[in-house]
Amino acid sequence: MKKLSDVLTVRSTIFATVSVLVLLAALITMGLLTPFILRVSTGEEILLDSAYFNLRAALPTLALVMLLTLCLLLGSAGKKEALLALGLGVAGSVLSVVFSPFSSLPVNISFSLLAVALFAVMYRLLSSKEKTLKGTLRRAGSHIIHLGVVLLLVGILFSTNMKLEDSAAVPVGEVGTFQSMGYSIHVTNITSGIEGAPYGNYQGSAYVSTVYFDVYRWGQPFDSGQVRYISDFKWEQSYTETYIHRGLLEELFIAPKSVDTKTQTVELYVRKVPFMTSLWGGFYLMVLGILMLFISDSLAGEKGSPGNGLSGTLDSEREAQVNGIKNDSKKKRVSKKNV
C-alpha cells in the first residue's frame, strides 16, 4: 500500500484538478443544453435559474479550490505545509458553520477555504524568482491567472448568496426606506411627456417618465440620480433606464417598476450586491495573466526557460527525490563501513 507522501505529488494533484474542472464544465454544459433539448424534443420551455447551477456546482467548485491550494503549495512550501494550510482552511469552514459569522451557509462554508487559496496564490507569486524577463512574465502570468480565479470565485460567492433586494412605492417628496440595505431614497421630482420622432397618430415615439431622487446611506447623503420608465409606441412594450452605483465593496442598483403619473408615485426596485468589484477585478486579472503568457512566449530568448510554472515545479520535485536517493545511498555506505 502506497504512503500518502507517495500519492500526494504535484503531478497527481494537477491530474485531479483537471478531472474536477472537466466534471464542473460538463455539469454546466448539461444545464445550459437541457432547456434547448427539451424545447426541441417536446416543445416545452423551461428556465433554469442560478439556484439550479449553484446546487450542482457547489461541491466541485470547493474541491477545485482545495486542489488549487495543494497544487500551489506542494511545489514551493512542501507537503506538510500544504496539508497544514488546507487543514486550517477546513477547520475554519467548520468553525464558520458553527458560529455563522455570515448570513449565508454557502459563504460560511467557502470563505475560509477561499482565504487559504488566496494566501497560497500570493505566497507562490511573491516567492517566485526568475533570472530572465521571459521566465518572470511566464511564472507571474500563471499565478496572476490563479489570483483572478480566486477573486472571481469570491465575487460570485458573495454576490450570489448575499445580495439584498426590495421594492417600495414612493410618492414625490417622500422617502422610501430600505432598512436591511442601509439605504433610503428621497424622490424629488417626476416629469412625464412624449419624446422621440413622431410615430403614427402620436407626436413622438415613446412616453417617458423621468424620476429624480437623492440617495442616503445610513442617514447620510450619498448620491443623486435619475431613472426613466419608457413606454414605446412602435414596439408596444415598456423598458427602463436604471441607476447603478459601483463601489469598492458593493453595487447599488435602482430601477422603476412602474410610474403612476396621476398620483406622482413611483414603485422603485432596489438591489444591493456585495463584492461585484472582486468579480470584475478577477476577470481583468485573468485577462492580464493571459496577456503576460502571450508576451513571454513571443519574447526571443532561452528555450525551455525555467519560468514555466508546471515544469519548474516538477523539476524541483524530481531534484528533491534525487537528493533523497543520494542521502539514502550515503547512509547505506556509512552503515557498511561501520560493520
Side-chain angles (χ1 to χ4, degrees):
M1 185 176 179
K2 293 185 177 180
K3 297 181 180 179
L4 178 61
S5 58
D6 297 331
V7 177
L8 188 62
T9 62
V10 175
R11 188 183 298 275
S12 62
T13 310
I14 290 176
F15 176 77
T17 304
V18 173
S19 301
V20 174
L21 188 61
V22 171
L23 174 62
L24 185 61
L27 290 173
I28 295 175
T29 303
M30 288 175 61
L32 294 174
L33 291 179
T34 298
F36 172 75
I37 295 174
L38 193 62
R39 184 177 61 183
V40 171
S41 59
T42 64
E44 182 181 356
E45 292 193 9
I46 62 171
L47 178 63
L48 301 179
D49 56 5
S50 59
Y52 173 88
F53 293 96
N54 291 341
L55 181 63
R56 287 157 178 79
L59 291 179
T61 303
L62 281 179
L64 196 63
V65 171
M66 296 168 68
L67 289 169
L68 175 63
T69 302
L70 286 177
C71 281
L72 292 172
L73 294 180
L74 277 176
S76 55
K79 295 181 180 180
K80 292 183 179 179
E81 290 77 5
L83 291 174
L84 176 62
L86 185 60
L88 290 175
V90 174
S93 293
V94 174
L95 293 176
S96 182
V97 170
V98 173
F99 294 102
S100 188
F102 303 100
S103 59
S104 171
L105 179 61
V107 176
N108 288 329
I109 295 174
S110 307
F111 181 74
S112 62
L113 291 173
L114 286 170
V116 172
L118 182 61
F119 164 78
V121 173
M122 296 303 299
Y123 175 82
R124 190 67 182 273
L125 179 62
L126 297 176
S127 63
S128 61
K129 296 180 181 180
E130 297 294 335
K131 297 180 180 179
T132 63
L133 176 61
K134 179 179 178 180
T136 301
L137 287 174
R138 187 166 185 82
R139 183 177 288 274
S142 63
H143 295 322
I144 286 176
I145 292 175
H146 293 149
L147 178 61
V149 170
V150 175
L151 291 179
L152 188 69
L153 290 175
V154 170
I156 293 174
L157 178 70
F158 277 89
S159 63
T160 303
N161 295 282
M162 296 194 68
K163 68 179 180 181
L164 299 173
E165 51 188 352
D166 198 0
S167 61
V170 186
V172 171
E174 299 293 331
V175 177
T177 302
F178 304 88
Q179 189 171 2
S180 62
M181 306 180 197
Y183 288 97
S184 57
I185 300 173
H186 177 214
V187 177
T188 58
N189 192 20
I190 298 177
T191 61
S192 302
I194 296 177
E195 297 182 5
Y199 174 76
N201 298 326
Y202 300 102
Q203 296 179 354
S205 59
Y207 188 80
V208 181
S209 297
T210 305
V211 181
Y212 301 89
F213 54 83
D214 296 325
V215 182
Y216 295 83
R217 182 167 64 179
W218 305 115
Q220 301 299 320
F222 177 70
D223 196 12
S224 297
Q226 66 180 47
V227 293
R228 287 156 59 96
Y229 188 87
I230 304 169
S231 299
D232 195 289
F233 300 137
K234 181 178 180 179
W235 302 107
E236 297 182 352
Q237 62 181 3
S238 299
Y239 56 94
T240 63
E241 292 181 2
T242 60
Y243 164 92
I244 301 177
H245 184 276
R246 292 185 174 92
L248 182 61
L249 297 178
E250 63 185 28
E251 177 182 282
L252 179 64
F253 175 90
I254 303 174
K257 296 180 70 175
S258 63
V259 177
D260 190 335
T261 56
K262 293 181 180 180
T263 60
Q264 290 287 283
T265 301
V266 57
E267 185 178 4
L268 292 175
Y269 167 78
V270 180
R271 182 178 69 216
K272 185 176 79 170
V273 185
F275 282 89
M276 286 297 293
T277 304
S278 175
L279 192 151
W280 290 110
F283 173 77
Y284 290 130
L285 281 177
M286 290 175 64
V287 173
L288 175 62
I290 293 172
L291 288 176
M292 291 176 67
L293 291 180
F294 277 122
I295 293 173
S296 68
D297 289 338
S298 64
L299 290 176
E302 300 175 356
K303 295 183 179 179
S305 173
N308 187 305
L310 176 59
S311 62
T313 304
L314 294 177
D315 289 342
S316 63
E317 185 181 355
R318 293 193 191 100
E319 184 179 355
Q321 292 176 351
V322 171
N323 291 334
I325 294 173
K326 289 181 179 180
N327 291 333
D328 291 340
S329 62
K330 288 180 180 180
K331 290 179 180 179
K332 291 180 180 179
R333 291 174 184 175
V334 171
S335 62
K336 289 181 179 179
K337 289 181 180 180
N338 291 333
V339 173

